[in-house]
Amino acid sequence: MCEPLSVGVHACQRANIQPGSTVAILGSGPIGLVCAMVAKAFGARKVVMSDVREERLTFAKKVVADSVVLIKNDIDVVQQLKDSVDKEIDATIECSGFESSMKSALAITKSGGVVCCVGLHDSTMNLPLMDANVREVDIKGIFRYRNTYPICIALIESGKVDIKELITHRFKLDEVEEAFEMARTGKDAIK
Protein backbone atom coordinates (compact mmCIF):
# COMPACT_ATOMS: atom_id res chain seq x y z
CA MET A 1 0.00 0.00 0.00
CA CYS A 2 3.02 2.30 -0.03
CA GLU A 3 2.62 2.62 -3.81
CA PRO A 4 -0.70 4.52 -3.83
CA LEU A 5 0.30 6.39 -0.66
CA SER A 6 3.44 7.56 -2.46
CA VAL A 7 1.30 9.34 -5.04
CA GLY A 8 -0.41 11.23 -2.19
CA VAL A 9 2.91 12.14 -0.59
CA HIS A 10 4.34 13.43 -3.86
CA ALA A 11 1.16 15.40 -4.64
CA CYS A 12 1.10 17.01 -1.19
CA GLN A 13 4.79 17.87 -1.43
CA ARG A 14 4.27 19.48 -4.85
CA ALA A 15 1.16 21.31 -3.56
CA ASN A 16 3.19 22.59 -0.59
CA ILE A 17 0.71 21.37 2.03
CA GLN A 18 1.67 22.88 5.38
CA PRO A 19 0.22 22.86 8.89
CA GLY A 20 -2.91 25.00 8.82
CA SER A 21 -3.54 24.62 5.07
CA THR A 22 -7.05 24.41 3.69
CA VAL A 23 -7.07 21.81 0.93
CA ALA A 24 -9.57 20.73 -1.72
CA ILE A 25 -9.30 17.29 -3.27
CA LEU A 26 -11.32 16.92 -6.48
CA GLY A 27 -11.97 13.23 -7.05
CA SER A 28 -12.57 10.87 -4.13
CA GLY A 29 -11.30 7.61 -5.55
CA PRO A 30 -8.32 5.74 -4.08
CA ILE A 31 -5.76 8.37 -5.12
CA GLY A 32 -7.91 11.26 -3.90
CA LEU A 33 -8.30 9.48 -0.57
CA VAL A 34 -4.55 8.96 -0.10
CA CYS A 35 -3.95 12.60 -1.04
CA ALA A 36 -6.44 13.63 1.66
CA MET A 37 -4.87 11.31 4.24
CA VAL A 38 -1.41 12.70 3.55
CA ALA A 39 -2.68 16.30 3.55
CA LYS A 40 -4.07 15.69 7.05
CA ALA A 41 -0.81 14.00 8.13
CA PHE A 42 1.12 17.04 6.80
CA GLY A 43 -1.01 19.27 9.02
CA ALA A 44 -3.87 20.48 6.82
CA ARG A 45 -6.54 21.87 9.11
CA LYS A 46 -9.41 21.35 6.67
CA VAL A 47 -9.87 18.99 3.73
CA VAL A 48 -12.90 19.19 1.44
CA MET A 49 -13.45 16.47 -1.15
CA SER A 50 -15.71 16.29 -4.19
CA ASP A 51 -16.88 13.56 -6.53
CA VAL A 52 -19.75 12.58 -8.80
CA ARG A 53 -20.33 9.35 -6.87
CA GLU A 54 -22.15 9.69 -3.57
CA GLU A 55 -20.87 6.37 -2.19
CA ARG A 56 -17.28 7.58 -2.60
CA LEU A 57 -18.06 10.75 -0.69
CA THR A 58 -19.76 8.81 2.09
CA PHE A 59 -16.59 6.74 2.45
CA ALA A 60 -14.35 9.84 2.25
CA LYS A 61 -16.34 11.60 4.97
CA LYS A 62 -16.12 8.53 7.20
CA VAL A 63 -12.36 8.12 6.73
CA VAL A 64 -10.74 11.53 6.22
CA ALA A 65 -12.73 14.43 4.72
CA ASP A 66 -13.96 17.30 6.87
CA SER A 67 -16.62 18.11 4.29
CA VAL A 68 -17.74 16.75 0.94
CA VAL A 69 -19.46 18.12 -2.16
CA LEU A 70 -21.47 15.90 -4.50
CA ILE A 71 -21.04 17.08 -8.08
CA LYS A 72 -24.32 17.23 -9.98
CA ASN A 73 -25.15 18.86 -13.30
CA ASP A 74 -27.48 21.40 -11.72
CA ILE A 75 -25.21 22.83 -9.00
CA ASP A 76 -22.60 25.58 -8.98
CA VAL A 77 -19.62 23.40 -8.08
CA VAL A 78 -17.25 26.30 -7.51
CA GLN A 79 -19.61 28.03 -5.09
CA GLN A 80 -20.42 24.78 -3.26
CA LEU A 81 -16.71 24.04 -2.77
CA LYS A 82 -15.98 27.58 -1.59
CA ASP A 83 -18.96 27.48 0.80
CA SER A 84 -17.78 24.18 2.31
CA VAL A 85 -14.72 25.79 3.92
CA ASP A 86 -14.42 28.74 6.28
CA LYS A 87 -11.40 30.32 4.59
CA GLU A 88 -9.78 30.43 1.19
CA ILE A 89 -8.46 27.21 -0.32
CA ASP A 90 -4.66 27.23 -0.21
CA ALA A 91 -4.15 24.19 -2.43
CA THR A 92 -6.30 22.06 -4.68
CA ILE A 93 -5.28 18.57 -5.71
CA GLU A 94 -7.17 17.55 -8.85
CA CYS A 95 -7.46 13.74 -9.01
CA SER A 96 -10.04 13.09 -11.73
CA GLY A 97 -8.24 14.38 -14.81
CA PHE A 98 -11.35 15.90 -16.36
CA GLU A 99 -11.35 19.38 -17.89
CA SER A 100 -14.42 20.50 -15.92
CA SER A 101 -12.75 19.49 -12.65
CA MET A 102 -9.52 21.27 -13.58
CA LYS A 103 -11.50 24.44 -14.34
CA SER A 104 -13.10 24.18 -10.90
CA ALA A 105 -9.68 23.65 -9.31
CA LEU A 106 -8.34 26.85 -10.85
CA ALA A 107 -11.45 28.80 -9.82
CA ILE A 108 -11.54 27.74 -6.16
CA THR A 109 -7.85 28.07 -5.33
CA LYS A 110 -6.89 31.32 -3.67
CA SER A 111 -4.64 33.88 -5.34
CA GLY A 112 -1.08 32.73 -4.83
CA GLY A 113 -2.25 29.18 -4.14
CA VAL A 114 -1.34 25.91 -5.83
CA VAL A 115 -3.25 23.52 -8.08
CA CYS A 116 -1.62 20.11 -8.33
CA CYS A 117 -2.74 17.98 -11.29
CA VAL A 118 -2.72 14.30 -10.39
CA GLY A 119 -5.57 12.90 -12.48
CA LEU A 120 -4.76 11.70 -15.98
CA HIS A 121 -7.79 11.54 -18.26
CA ASP A 122 -8.34 14.37 -20.74
CA SER A 123 -5.09 14.79 -22.68
CA THR A 124 -6.06 18.23 -23.99
CA MET A 125 -7.89 20.86 -21.94
CA ASN A 126 -9.23 24.34 -22.63
CA LEU A 127 -8.49 26.17 -19.35
CA PRO A 128 -8.84 29.79 -18.15
CA LEU A 129 -5.10 30.31 -17.77
CA MET A 130 -5.25 34.10 -17.93
CA ASP A 131 -7.31 34.21 -14.73
CA ALA A 132 -4.92 31.78 -13.03
CA ASN A 133 -1.98 33.83 -14.29
CA VAL A 134 -3.36 37.15 -13.04
CA ARG A 135 -4.11 35.57 -9.63
CA GLU A 136 -0.67 33.89 -9.57
CA VAL A 137 -2.10 30.41 -9.07
CA ASP A 138 0.73 27.93 -9.53
CA ILE A 139 -0.16 24.88 -11.61
CA LYS A 140 1.98 21.84 -10.87
CA GLY A 141 1.80 18.40 -12.35
CA ILE A 142 2.94 15.07 -11.04
CA PHE A 143 3.46 11.73 -12.66
CA ARG A 144 3.18 9.16 -9.91
CA TYR A 145 5.97 9.74 -7.33
CA ARG A 146 9.68 9.78 -6.63
CA ASN A 147 11.76 9.14 -3.52
CA THR A 148 8.69 8.99 -1.28
CA TYR A 149 8.73 5.50 0.20
CA PRO A 150 10.71 6.51 3.33
CA ILE A 151 8.10 9.19 4.11
CA CYS A 152 5.26 6.72 3.46
CA ILE A 153 6.77 4.16 5.79
CA ALA A 154 7.26 6.82 8.48
CA LEU A 155 3.63 8.01 8.13
CA ILE A 156 2.33 4.46 8.46
CA GLU A 157 4.68 3.52 11.34
CA SER A 158 3.80 6.68 13.27
CA GLY A 159 0.08 6.08 12.87
CA LYS A 160 -0.43 9.44 11.14
CA VAL A 161 -1.88 7.52 8.19
CA ASP A 162 -3.94 4.35 8.59
CA ILE A 163 -3.76 2.94 5.10
CA LYS A 164 -5.68 -0.18 6.19
CA GLU A 165 -8.87 1.91 6.15
CA LEU A 166 -8.69 1.82 2.35
CA ILE A 167 -8.77 -1.97 2.16
CA THR A 168 -12.48 -2.57 1.68
CA HIS A 169 -12.44 -6.12 0.31
CA ARG A 170 -10.34 -9.27 0.56
CA PHE A 171 -10.49 -12.23 -1.79
CA LYS A 172 -9.09 -15.72 -1.72
CA LEU A 173 -7.08 -16.96 -4.67
CA ASP A 174 -9.97 -19.06 -5.96
CA GLU A 175 -12.13 -15.89 -6.03
CA VAL A 176 -9.91 -14.12 -8.54
CA GLU A 177 -12.67 -13.62 -11.13
CA GLU A 178 -14.91 -11.96 -8.54
CA ALA A 179 -11.98 -9.78 -7.43
CA PHE A 180 -11.26 -8.61 -10.96
CA GLU A 181 -14.94 -7.87 -11.55
CA MET A 182 -15.01 -5.82 -8.35
CA ALA A 183 -11.91 -3.93 -9.46
CA ARG A 184 -13.35 -3.38 -12.95
CA THR A 185 -16.69 -2.00 -11.80
CA GLY A 186 -15.42 -0.24 -8.68
CA LYS A 187 -18.72 -1.05 -7.01
CA ASP A 188 -18.39 -0.48 -3.27
CA ALA A 189 -14.62 -0.96 -3.45
CA ILE A 190 -11.62 1.20 -2.75
CA LYS A 191 -8.66 -1.22 -2.62
Side-chain angles (χ1 to χ4, degrees):
M1 292 297 287
C2 275
E3 192 282 330
L5 188 60
S6 284
V7 176
V9 168
H10 191 48
C12 288
Q13 288 173 331
R14 297 274 293 151
N16 197 30
I17 305 303
Q18 308 269 331
S21 294
T22 297
V23 180
I25 312 281
L26 308 186
S28 299
I31 297 301
L33 289 166
V34 294
C35 287
M37 290 173 138
V38 174
K40 285 289 200 172
F42 280 15
R45 81 175 187 81
K46 180 111 180 177
V47 173
V48 58
M49 298 184 76
S50 68
D51 205 286
V52 296
R53 293 176 53 188
E54 192 167 9
E55 69 274 8
R56 283 188 170 183
L57 293 174
T58 300
F59 187 83
K61 181 79 172 149
K62 183 180 94 172
V63 173
V64 68
D66 296 301
S67 59
V68 296
V69 173
L70 179 62
I71 308 296
K72 294 182 180 178
N73 289 336
D74 61 341
I75 68 162
D76 182 347
V77 175
V78 170
Q79 195 57 53
Q80 288 258 1
L81 287 164
K82 286 181 176 181
D83 289 347
S84 69
V85 295
D86 57 359
K87 67 176 232 146
E88 291 183 300
I89 296 169
D90 300 299
T92 302
I93 301 175
E94 200 295 307
C95 296
S96 76
F98 288 99
E99 180 179 314
S100 59
S101 185
M102 188 61 188
K103 285 180 177 178
S104 295
L106 292 171
I108 64 173
T109 304
K110 76 176 188 178
S111 296
V114 177
V115 172
C116 184
C117 309
V118 177
L120 300 171
H121 188 275
D122 292 345
S123 62
T124 303
M125 295 185 188
N126 182 13
L127 301 173
L129 293 180
M130 187 55 71
D131 178 60
N133 190 36
V134 170
R135 294 187 309 109
E136 297 185 354
V137 174
D138 292 338
I139 302 169
K140 298 181 179 184
I142 72 161
F143 185 67
R144 298 193 179 124
Y145 49 86
R146 64 164 202 232
N147 306 321
T148 54
Y149 270 51
I151 295 169
C152 293
I153 292 167
L155 289 173
I156 293 168
E157 282 181 341
S158 71
K160 288 184 177 180
V161 171
D162 182 4
I163 203 73
K164 290 179 184 172
E165 292 180 307
L166 299 182
I167 301 170
T168 56
H169 293 77
R170 295 177 190 270
F171 295 91
K172 295 180 179 170
L173 192 55
D174 63 346
E175 300 171 319
V176 71
E177 285 185 39
E178 185 181 343
F180 275 109
E181 182 62 17
M182 177 73 70
R184 186 184 70 76
T185 62
K187 186 177 180 181
D188 301 324
I190 299 297
K191 283 286 184 192

